[in-house]
Amino acid sequence: MTTQIEKTIITDLLKQAGITVNGNNPWDIQVHNEQMYSRIFRDHTVGAGESYVDGWWDCAALDMFFDRVIRADIENKIKKNYRLLFKILLARISNWQTPKNAFVVGKRHYDLGNDLFTGMLDQNMNYTCGYWKNASALEEAQLAKLELICQKLKLQPGMRILDIGCGFGAFAKYAAKKYQANIVGVTISEKQAEYAKENCRDLPIDIRLQDYRDITEKFDRVVSIGMFEHVGYMNYHNYMRIVHDCLPDEGIFLLHTIGSNHSVYKADEWITKYIFPHGMLPSIAQIGKSIEDFFIMEDWHNFGIYYDKTLMAWHHNFNQHWDELKLHYGDRFYRMWNYYLLLCAGGFRSRSMQVWQIVLSKKGLTGGYDAPR
């Protein structure tokens, strides 16, 4: 049963964020089951997410709600219990991103169904942040992102490119068609691999269902777009060593990743449990430490604010296509997926998460590096 103390604490914390329980603003929450307070007090982000999916509370604009909650640092104001502290300690000494577990996120997230992603993403199936500097629509932002990456890599016809975490093949197809590059793309998702092979048919592109740790070949360039979030901090050094060994002295590596403002050892518990198992976001310090033995940092570009717009576009597309998607996904999935998209949108809007494109070279590029924007 919910205690009055739990209800009072959470209600007061929400007030500090400008959120009123059963209020009239779009970011206010409507409580349908007061057991929600105990669940959140006990299980924190997992309790909040699970109680929402269970229909215990609603909010007309979850993205606005999360922006306020995150800015007010409500989660850290709720006293951590011993069970959660134990989980944090366990995360610091456990390597969940082992080769044995490499394909788990593929099966549980990226293999949910290509109909879900074709309904939600742009026509080229980019499942990473778009570049909205001069864009007004999702298609334009994603094409601008692909072009920006190609320019940063200084692609030339005939170059051999390794795409670690190639997704549905959007970058590979773009680079092969516009820059006449030859691409090897690796993914841990069976459905992504199937889609990418068909999507890139008749182009000089080799799509492989393969873990990055099994790569031993040489390439002119290496790119990784939205995959590093699945590597895990205990594997960062080895990841950078593998990329380093794939490149010649004048090679370039572009790392596109979501980033955390602080060094952490685990992701949001609800996201880890229901969306991206074994995921975590790297910090500047963790990436910096991992590249010390292998690379010189040529450029570090942050456009995390653009992920808010990208996620809101995906949210719009998902809801626009729900009538077709609901034949394969239930009502609980609908609430869970909206919660995921809008939680992340609020996270980027509040600037608690970033998107970094980092350009690295092995010994420093001759004559320096002029970074495109």
Side-chain angles (χ1 to χ4, degrees):
M1 295 293 291
T2 295
T3 68
Q4 186 60 42
I5 293 175
E6 291 167 335
K7 179 178 178 179
T8 299
I9 289 173
I10 292 175
T11 300
D12 287 348
L13 287 173
L14 289 173
K15 281 183 181 178
Q16 293 177 34
I19 298 165
T20 302
V21 174
N22 299 324
N24 298 319
N25 294 310
W27 55 82
D28 292 332
I29 64 170
Q30 310 301 315
V31 177
H32 310 307
N33 186 335
E34 294 214 341
Q35 293 182 57
M36 174 202 79
Y37 298 109
S38 291
R39 203 165 176 183
I40 293 174
F41 204 83
R42 182 184 69 241
D43 296 327
H44 304 278
T45 62
V46 172
E50 288 182 342
S51 60
Y52 176 84
V53 174
D54 285 342
W56 289 12
W57 62 280
D58 275 301
C59 179
L62 278 171
D63 53 312
M64 295 181 179
F65 167 79
F66 285 120
D67 179 28
R68 285 163 173 77
V69 165
I70 295 168
R71 287 182 186 276
D73 197 27
I74 285 180
E75 181 186 356
N76 289 323
K77 290 176 181 175
I78 300 176
K79 184 177 175 63
K80 304 294 190 218
N81 59 36
Y82 289 111
R83 182 180 61 82
L84 187 59
L85 289 173
F86 175 74
K87 285 186 176 181
I88 293 172
L89 176 62
L90 190 64
R92 294 182 73 122
I93 62 175
S94 301
N95 184 2
W96 300 109
Q97 296 85 2
T98 62
K100 182 180 178 181
N101 290 329
F103 290 81
V104 172
V105 68
K107 293 183 182 300
R108 287 185 50 189
H109 185 87
Y110 298 106
D111 289 348
L112 281 169
N114 287 345
D115 59 339
L116 170 65
F117 296 107
T118 53
M120 185 177 82
L121 306 178
D122 65 299
Q123 64 180 4
N124 293 306
M125 297 287 278
N126 289 273
Y127 195 19
T128 52
C129 180
Y131 190 60
W132 293 82
K133 181 179 180 181
N134 298 310
S136 58
L138 181 63
E139 301 290 338
E140 296 173 356
Q142 294 294 13
L143 287 174
K145 186 259 304 290
L146 296 176
E147 178 61 24
L148 181 67
I149 292 171
C150 290
Q151 289 185 20
K152 286 182 176 181
L153 287 169
K154 301 189 180 299
L155 293 191
Q156 298 294 328
M159 280 186 170
R160 191 164 188 252
I161 317 299
L162 172 63
D163 183 358
I164 303 177
C166 65
F168 298 100
F171 170 80
K173 187 174 183 178
Y174 186 88
K177 291 184 74 172
K178 183 165 183 181
Y179 286 86
Q180 294 81 54
N182 300 287
I183 295 97
V184 171
V186 298
T187 176
I188 43 76
S189 164
E190 292 182 6
K191 289 190 180 293
Q192 281 189 338
E194 291 171 4
Y195 186 99
K197 286 177 181 178
E198 180 60 27
N199 188 33
C200 300
R201 189 160 43 92
D202 300 326
L203 290 168
I205 298 171
D206 179 13
I207 302 295
R208 304 174 184 173
L209 187 65
Q210 184 180 31
D211 182 48
Y212 72 91
R213 282 163 282 215
D214 296 327
I215 299 167
T216 58
E217 301 160 58
K218 291 290 186 181
F219 300 88
D220 299 299
R221 301 285 189 266
V222 177
V223 64
S224 184
I225 309 168
M227 174 270 177
F228 198 63
E229 300 89 336
H230 302 305
V231 170
Y233 84 101
M234 294 185 76
N235 301 307
Y236 291 162
H237 187 271
N238 186 47
Y239 178 96
M240 294 300 176
R241 179 190 61 77
I242 290 169
V243 175
H244 175 273
D245 291 347
C246 286
L247 287 168
D249 287 348
E250 285 294 309
I252 297 174
F253 171 40
L254 185 143
L255 177 66
H256 173 122
T257 183
I258 299 172
S260 171
N261 294 334
H262 307 283
S263 294
V264 297
Y265 305 97
K266 61 193 291 298
D268 174 273
E269 281 199 286
W270 185 85
I271 290 286
T272 301
K273 185 173 181 179
Y274 291 101
I275 307 297
F276 295 114
H278 306 148
M280 65 161 287
L281 303 183
S283 68
I284 291 175
Q286 288 168 332
I287 293 175
K289 184 66 177 176
S290 72
I291 67 176
E292 281 185 2
D293 295 333
F294 306 112
F295 293 109
I296 289 173
M297 192 275 288
E298 299 283 1
D299 185 51
W300 197 303
H301 184 188
N302 182 1
F303 54 87
I305 196 63
Y306 292 157
Y307 222 149
D308 179 13
K309 296 184 72 171
T310 304
L311 283 153
M312 294 307 294
W314 290 347
H315 173 257
H316 171 79
N317 289 347
F318 172 70
N319 282 273
Q320 285 287 103
H321 289 91
W322 179 245
D323 282 344
E324 307 122 61
L325 292 171
K326 68 182 179 183
L327 299 174
H328 301 108
Y329 307 89
D331 290 340
R332 287 181 63 81
F333 182 88
Y334 177 76
R335 291 181 68 85
M336 179 184 74
W337 207 254
N338 273 298
Y339 190 89
Y340 149 57
L341 293 172
L342 296 177
L343 166 63
C344 292
F348 286 103
R349 193 176 307 167
S350 67
R351 303 309 308 278
S352 69
M353 295 186 290
Q354 314 303 326
V355 172
W356 298 320
Q357 281 191 355
I358 309 164
V359 177
L360 304 168
S361 67
K362 291 176 72 168
K363 297 184 176 181
L365 297 174
T366 303
Y369 182 82
D370 186 15
R373 289 292 186 270

